[in-house]
Amino acid sequence: MDLHFGDSLPTDEERAAVDALLGPPDSSWEGADRSDADLRWARGGRRARDRRDLLLPGLHAINDRIGWISEGALGHLCRRLTVPPAEAYGVATFYAMFSVRPRPATVLHLCTDLACAAAGASELCAGVAARLGPDSGVQVERGPCLGLCERAPAALAVRAGDPVRTAVAAPATVEEAVRAADAPDSAPEEPPVATAVPQAGREGLVLLGRVGVVDPASLDDYRAHGGYTALRRAFALGPAGVIREVTDSGLVGRGGAAFPTGRKWQATASQPDHPHHLVCNADESEPGTFKDRVLMEGDPYALVEAMTIAGYATGAHQGHLYLRGEYPRALRRLEHAIAQARARGFLGDDVLGRGYAFDIEIRRGAGAYICGEETALFNSIEGYRGEPRSKPPFPVEKGLFGKPTVENNVETLVNVLPILTMGAPAYAAIGTEGSTGPKLYCVSGSVARPGVYELPFGATLGELLRLAGVRDGLRAVLLGGAAGGFVRPDELDIPLTFEGTREAGTTLGSGVVMAFDDSVPLPRLLLRIAEFFREESCGQCVPCRVGTVRQEEALRRITERTGAAAAGDIALLREIGRAMRDASICGLGQTAWNAVESAIDRLGAYT
């Protein structure tokens, strides 16, 4: 594709897709028909440059309508936003869900990641490929986790058009996956969200108490079950009082970093530079993670309320919800919840008549694990490649659009509601002194009842697995997902706390717990982890860009020859792993070696 404005013109359909998002162009400088006035001066350039952040939504608009992004469509979008085509091309090719080459209108995404691989993804892919030949009008793409690990193996069909149509098949058979691709509108509806919560309806649940009980589409039902009680108390406490409650509760980030939430909020609120921004990170792309999806699908108003409280406490008037592109049902439910909240006065210029203005905008990701890193997420929203930034400055000082920004994931924000309704002391009494409150765990793999579980911090790994019905022949448990570490079956007494897992030489991460029995070939599993990091590395820094490739190459050689013959490659892996851990810019490269290292040292994977 030519990287400057060429002679290719957008089709009427491509032009309509862009103009439906941005409105009609004002002048020929932005793609309208030429007029004599446009020959005298350029109009709209400065205003268009201020809309650079609409580049990602614009790419989505084209991809959703057409199925791929042509040179003419990209050029038209660049003119509308005054973005250099070379930069827009770099953004469009950064995301797995976009294509700059012609492809059919229907794309069938088949997950080949850890949980699905253990559940027969390779057989599913082979069967679908045999059924859908090259002339089927369906492009089959094998890819990373779709966030449906409790229903593995999973498939997602996307058919471009106006509107775009999606269908999920999970657990997917060959027939169901093909049916979803052939006729997305007639595919069976997804099961209720409560099927992903084995504890649904039980007394005592704090975060999952409304999932399966409340109609996720009904604001009135949400309010009847305690909704917006926390926001009213927040207004009574004031911003400083809310931050004090969150700080006293001991809440730390649930995305893996475990940074104290109250300190982050206070640091943002105290910044003199304005405006402040709030970003909800709903781009959970860690293989094995799906808890945020369950919360958004089953209790969307809770996230809307929690974001409003966070914005009020930190002085933000705009919330940005960055949502995984592979979550179509969560998108529909959140769009409905935000619209209803806005119509009823729970969002907008005067929230609940208290003189506080706050609104939420959803931004869809497009298939990039690295955008779970907060600064890469900011770049993605701003219309740039989702590459991490060097720190400092930290986001609380200069984050989204260069302004003070607080960023939290879905589970962290939803925890704020019980903190305000029950009070910080009562919340802090749940769990342990070092890890307070309830925690959500995503359990998948070789268990009878996979799903999202809520337990207080301090429960052991064995207790959690017994709830999920662990199967006989347990070989290993992966904690924290692909960036986490393996533990042995004789280590199930590890307490599930941040301090407990650290003492055990592993990590809790975001709460991923994947069990694997003897039927799962461990070397192939480790190779898939290495493939995942190689595919998802943004390539910005050399240690990660080169290291993830060399790690995959070494693991591929080792799978072909184990024992003494593999000793050299294992030594090489250790050297590569240390280099990535010490010198990579962000957490992707720093943790890409963790699971492989733990499998070698704790499980004796290649002995």
Side-chain angles (χ1 to χ4, degrees):
M1 180 182 287
D2 203 348
L3 299 187
H4 57 76
F5 286 116
D7 297 330
S8 299
L9 297 175
T11 65
D12 291 342
E13 193 75 3
E14 292 168 339
R15 187 186 299 272
V18 173
D19 294 351
L21 174 72
L22 304 178
D26 293 333
S27 70
S28 63
W29 298 98
E30 293 186 16
D33 294 334
R34 289 187 178 277
S35 69
D36 291 341
D38 293 334
L39 299 178
R40 298 188 178 93
W41 65 83
R43 293 184 292 163
R46 181 170 298 175
R47 180 177 60 83
R49 281 193 292 274
D50 291 338
R51 299 193 297 174
R52 167 78 185 241
D53 65 296
L54 293 178
L55 179 59
L56 183 57
L59 294 171
H60 267 299
I62 299 168
N63 198 73
D64 286 349
R65 183 79 68 95
I66 311 301
W68 68 289
I69 302 165
S70 71
E71 181 180 349
L74 186 64
H76 180 63
L77 179 61
C78 290
R79 286 188 175 90
R80 295 300 315 276
L81 298 176
T82 319
V83 174
E87 293 186 18
Y89 180 84
V91 173
T93 54
F94 186 82
Y95 298 97
M97 298 185 76
F98 296 149
S99 175
V100 294
R101 295 181 176 85
R103 67 179 179 185
T106 302
V107 178
L108 181 62
H109 300 272
L110 298 177
C111 177
T112 59
D113 241 314
L114 307 182
C116 289
S122 58
E123 292 81 2
L124 175 65
C125 292
V128 169
R131 286 282 298 276
L132 295 174
D135 300 323
S136 65
V138 176
Q139 178 157 322
V140 179
E141 295 187 355
R142 304 184 182 194
C145 185
L146 294 174
L148 295 163
C149 311
E150 84 282 11
R151 290 185 272 147
L156 169 66
V158 181
R159 176 168 293 180
D162 185 20
V164 63
R165 286 161 289 177
T166 60
V168 169
T173 63
V174 173
E175 292 72 20
E176 290 168 342
V178 171
R179 179 180 173 187
D182 286 342
D185 291 335
S186 63
E189 289 190 10
E190 290 189 66
V193 183
T195 60
V197 183
Q199 299 166 304
R202 295 186 186 178
E203 293 290 331
L205 295 178
V206 177
L207 305 178
L208 299 175
R210 281 185 289 261
V211 177
V213 176
V214 172
D215 178 2
S218 173
L219 177 56
D220 290 331
D221 203 9
Y222 175 71
R223 295 179 64 193
H225 288 80
Y228 283 101
T229 303
L231 179 59
R232 294 183 188 279
R233 181 157 190 261
F235 282 135
L237 290 171
V242 173
I243 293 176
R244 185 167 53 251
E245 285 285 293
V246 173
T247 302
D248 292 346
S249 73
L251 176 66
V252 298
R254 300 298 202 245
F259 189 85
T261 304
R263 283 175 54 191
K264 182 184 287 190
W265 287 18
Q266 180 60 51
T268 306
S270 63
Q271 293 296 321
D273 194 14
H274 285 274
H276 294 178
H277 292 287
L278 168 71
V279 174
C280 173
N281 185 346
D283 190 57
E284 55 170 4
S285 303
E286 185 76 41
T289 310
F290 50 94
K291 56 187 173 61
D292 289 352
R293 189 205 89 228
V294 170
L295 287 172
M296 290 185 289
E297 292 179 349
D299 198 9
Y301 289 103
L303 180 57
V304 174
E305 181 183 5
M307 289 184 66
T308 308
I309 293 170
Y312 174 68
T314 58
H317 297 282
Q318 181 66 47
H320 306 266
L321 201 169
Y322 191 91
L323 178 66
R324 267 197 88 176
E326 295 92 341
Y327 284 176
R329 181 160 70 172
L331 174 63
R332 292 192 298 269
R333 293 193 171 173
L334 284 167
E335 286 178 337
H336 176 79
I338 290 170
Q340 289 297 305
R342 191 179 293 132
R344 299 277 290 275
F346 293 95
L347 290 175
D349 294 335
D350 188 13
V351 176
L352 291 180
R354 301 300 183 100
Y356 169 62
F358 184 76
D359 212 337
I360 297 173
E361 179 184 30
I362 297 176
R363 288 296 174 92
R364 293 163 58 197
Y369 170 75
I370 189 63
C371 288
E373 197 279 336
E374 58 184 358
T375 61
L377 187 155
F378 300 157
N379 276 340
S380 181
I381 292 176
E382 292 176 18
Y384 297 93
R385 288 169 61 88
E387 297 173 340
R389 304 172 184 174
S390 297
K391 292 182 279 190
F394 294 97
V396 296
E397 301 167 327
K398 290 187 180 297
L400 186 64
F401 303 117
K403 298 296 182 180
T405 303
V406 62
E407 180 265 353
N408 294 117
N409 77 339
V410 174
E411 184 187 355
T412 306
L413 288 167
V414 171
N415 267 275
V416 174
L417 304 182
I419 289 172
L420 294 183
T421 53
M422 68 172 58
Y427 180 91
I430 302 172
T432 67
E433 183 178 353
S435 300
T436 63
K439 180 72 183 80
L440 299 183
Y441 300 96
C442 307
V443 184
S444 60
S446 302
V447 294
R449 295 177 293 279
V452 178
Y453 288 83
E454 178 184 321
L455 290 175
F457 275 115
T460 67
L461 177 59
E463 291 170 347
L464 174 61
L465 289 176
R466 282 191 290 273
L467 278 177
V470 65
R471 296 172 186 163
D472 293 335
L474 182 65
R475 172 73 170 89
V477 179
L478 179 60
L479 288 180
F486 286 95
V487 298
R488 300 186 305 272
D490 61 352
E491 297 179 296
L492 301 186
D493 59 345
I494 293 175
L496 295 176
T497 61
F498 294 112
E499 63 273 17
T501 51
R502 278 196 298 268
E503 290 175 6
T506 184
T507 178
L508 189 62
S510 61
V512 174
V513 178
M514 305 182 78
F516 301 101
D517 59 24
D518 293 331
S519 67
V520 179
L522 191 57
R524 185 65 191 88
L525 197 68
L526 297 178
L527 181 57
R528 180 65 192 102
I529 292 174
E531 290 171 350
F532 171 81
F533 282 113
R534 187 259 306 158
E535 292 167 357
E536 297 296 338
S537 173
C538 74
Q540 182 183 15
C541 67
V542 172
C544 180
R545 182 177 70 240
V546 177
T548 53
V549 174
R550 296 294 175 259
Q551 177 174 261
E552 180 190 354
E553 291 173 346
L555 286 172
R556 198 173 294 280
R557 289 193 298 268
I558 290 174
T559 57
E560 298 172 359
R561 61 181 198 283
T562 57
D569 277 321
I570 291 177
L572 176 62
L573 278 171
R574 294 188 187 279
E575 183 177 350
I576 293 169
R578 284 194 297 269
M580 289 193 293
R581 184 175 292 163
D582 293 342
S584 296
I585 288 177
C586 79
L588 189 151
Q590 293 164 10
T591 60
W593 154 244
N594 286 1
V596 178
E597 179 184 36
S598 65
I600 294 172
D601 293 341
R602 299 180 87 128
L603 304 180
Y606 300 111
T607 57

